[in-house]
Amino acid sequence: MPDRYLRYGDQRYIITKEAEARLNRALDSVYAAGSRGHEWLSLYGSTEAPCRLLIATGVPITIETVPGVDD
């Protein structure tokens, strides 16, 4: 199974399908008409190591897929 990562600026974070869904909702909110132009995203909200990212216009964000060892 391939590993999926969120590339945020020059950092890379492991991303789950659930976190990707939250990211998509945050992006929809950021780019909606009349928005503040930014939104906080808790990448690992339900874990002991929460990671909050500021999703804002102009910050490069991509999802990368890296083939796993068994692929």
Side-chain angles (χ1 to χ4, degrees):
M1 181 167 177
D3 293 326
R4 296 176 53 78
Y5 296 94
L6 169 67
R7 171 82 56 188
Y8 176 82
D10 62 349
Q11 298 294 314
R12 191 168 86 161
Y13 303 91
I14 295 173
I15 190 166
T16 64
K17 293 283 186 185
E18 295 81 16
E20 187 173 354
R22 288 194 312 275
L23 171 64
N24 288 331
R25 288 191 297 272
L27 287 168
D28 288 345
S29 176
V30 165
Y31 286 98
S35 86
R36 299 180 298 201
H38 67 277
E39 190 81 27
W40 284 100
L41 172 70
S42 293
L43 197 54
Y44 312 120
S46 61
T47 67
E48 293 181 17
C51 177
R52 289 184 51 173
L53 302 175
L54 182 63
I55 307 303
T57 57
V59 176
I61 298 173
T62 58
I63 301 293
E64 299 176 351
T65 303
V66 177
V69 175
D70 296 336
D71 293 341

